[in-house]
């Protein structure tokens, strides 16, 4: 009985680790078009690879020499709030969640949200 319980707990721990390490990779869907912030301007890009905490992007109209890995704070996103999607940005990662800001709203409206409420736009 203890062996089964131990094996089950080990399996659950491995499964949780897989989900937590791939969580950001779900935001970085390979092939998805997005916009990336670079030196204060937004540039069209395509996501080409995903890691647990960054997306590799290629800028549309630029060479592969300009490809780079970017974090969530450099991607245009939309946030689900009460059934509707609102444009915004990731300010920083907070554990498994993200501190986000809504475009056109003050910092008083910033909130911490799970990845399930964020999509790249």
């Amino acid at each position: 009985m203890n062996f089964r319980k131990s094996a089950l707990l080990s399996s659950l721990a491995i499964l949780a680790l897989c989900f937590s390490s791939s969580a950001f990779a779900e935001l970085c869907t390979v092939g998805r078009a997005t916009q990336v912030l670079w030196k204060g301007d937004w540039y069209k890009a395509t996501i080409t690879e995903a890691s647990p905490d960054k997306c590799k992007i290629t800028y549309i109209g630029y060479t592969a020499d300009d490809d780079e890995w970017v974090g969530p704070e450099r991607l245009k996103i939309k946030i689900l709030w009460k059934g509707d999607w609102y444009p915004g940005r990731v300010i920083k990662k907070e554990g498994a969640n993200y501190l986000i800001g809504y475009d056109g709203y003050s910092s008083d409206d910033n909130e911490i949200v799970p990845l399930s409420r964020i999509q790249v736009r």
Side-chain angles (χ1 to χ4, degrees):
M1 184 80 134
N2 286 339
F3 175 75
R4 284 186 185 169
K5 190 182 258 185
S6 176
L8 177 61
L9 289 175
S10 295
S11 296
L12 288 174
I14 291 169
L15 186 59
L17 179 61
C18 289
F19 277 110
S20 65
S21 66
S22 67
F24 186 72
E26 290 176 19
L27 185 63
C28 294
T29 304
V30 172
R32 175 169 273 179
T34 188
Q35 292 186 41
V36 177
L37 185 64
W38 189 76
K39 294 192 177 184
D41 291 316
W42 291 99
Y43 292 86
K44 291 181 180 181
T46 303
I47 298 170
T48 58
E49 291 182 53
S51 79
D53 60 349
K54 293 185 185 240
C55 301
K56 186 170 186 182
I57 57 94
T58 187
Y59 292 100
I60 296 171
Y62 293 84
T63 68
D65 291 339
D66 296 310
D67 292 1
E68 65 176 323
W69 288 92
V70 299
E73 67 285 346
R74 292 191 45 210
L75 300 173
K76 272 202 175 180
I77 62 163
K78 57 186 177 180
I79 305 107
L80 183 62
W81 187 75
K82 294 191 176 184
D84 290 318
W85 291 96
Y86 293 85
R89 70 209 170 283
V90 170
I91 298 167
K92 68 178 179 175
K93 189 165 179 171
E94 298 253 334
N97 298 310
Y98 297 86
L99 174 63
I100 57 91
Y102 292 95
D103 291 355
Y105 291 84
S106 76
S107 60
D108 293 339
D109 294 309
N110 292 357
E111 65 175 325
I112 297 172
V113 300
L115 180 63
S116 62
R117 288 185 46 204
I118 301 173
Q119 285 186 1
V120 170
R121 60 181 175 113

